[in-house]
Amino acid sequence: DGPRVQPLLLRFCGLAGAWLEHLCADSAAAADACAALPASTLTDVFALLVLFARKDPQALVASEVAAPLVSRCACRWVGRQALASSPFVRFTAAELLETLVQMDEHAARLAGS
């Protein structure tokens, strides 16, 4: 069932990321709303993306939701201390970005050989 579930998980990540971006737009009210969210709201989405990057990077690269999710959601949350007050949330977002950089570096090495 793994290959059949993968697109659904990626779609879920995309929807959750879009919802978080909408909910936590740049405003004081958004900061209050985001402060009420459990940390797992973000960390679970990021952990799924890390899992895809490590286990099936081609599925992640081929997904239409991955690029906007990483660029709009993960990158934004790393530096937004007011919205991601938990160091664990910021660490998980940074881990996702590091994993994606490693994935790109590996692909570049393979293309160069």
Side-chain angles (χ1 to χ4, degrees), residues 14-35:
L15 291 171
W19 173 72
L20 287 166
E21 280 300 298
H22 173 72
L23 178 68
C24 298
D26 294 321
S27 73
D32 292 339
C34 290

Side-chain angles (χ1 to χ4, degrees), residues 28-104:
D32 292 339
C34 290
L37 290 174
S40 62
T41 306
L42 277 169
T43 57
D44 289 352
V45 171
F46 295 160
L48 274 173
L49 292 172
V50 167
L51 179 68
F52 270 101
R54 291 181 179 159
K55 298 296 183 187
D56 193 359
Q58 293 307 318
L60 187 61
V61 169
S63 171
E64 63 188 33
V65 300
L69 183 59
V70 170
S71 65
R72 283 189 232 144
C73 192
C75 292
R76 181 177 286 180
W77 283 86
V78 169
R80 293 175 77 178
Q81 189 168 357
L83 297 181
S85 58
S86 164
F88 183 67
V89 170
R90 290 192 307 277
F91 170 80
T92 307
E95 179 186 25
L96 169 61
L97 297 176
E98 178 188 21
T99 302
L100 295 173
V101 167
Q102 290 172 353
M103 188 177 86
D104 285 347

